[in-house]
Amino acid sequence: SVWLWKAVGKNNVPAVLTLADLYARGDGVPRSCDQARILLTAALKRGASEAGPKLRDLQNSGCAGR
């Protein structure tokens, strides 16, 4: 995840989406719905339209507040 965070720092939207997915699932990082939501919201603000459905899925799965 260190490399992904570096890519996120360089505004790499695919890296943001990948990292958000890892946090939502707790895959290789501690599960954090809040971190996933923050990353997806940032991607959406950067114009990543695919972040919108992922954010809705996250919220619909009951992962929004954990």
Side-chain angles (χ1 to χ4, degrees):
S1 69
V2 172
W3 293 107
L4 281 172
W5 274 112
K6 287 183 180 193
V8 166
K10 294 181 180 183
N11 294 321
N12 182 313
V13 173
V16 174
L17 296 174
T18 299
L19 196 55
D21 186 52
L22 293 177
Y23 274 106
R25 292 184 288 127
D27 186 355
V29 295
R31 186 170 190 250
S32 173
C33 297
D34 288 337
Q35 186 64 61
R37 181 181 42 79
I38 289 166
L39 288 163
L40 288 171
T41 300
L44 194 58
K45 287 180 181 177
R46 291 182 179 141
S49 60
E50 62 270 35
K54 288 180 179 285
L55 189 57
R56 282 191 296 280
D57 288 346
L58 186 71
Q59 292 168 337
N60 290 337
S61 73
C63 190
R66 286 187 237 142

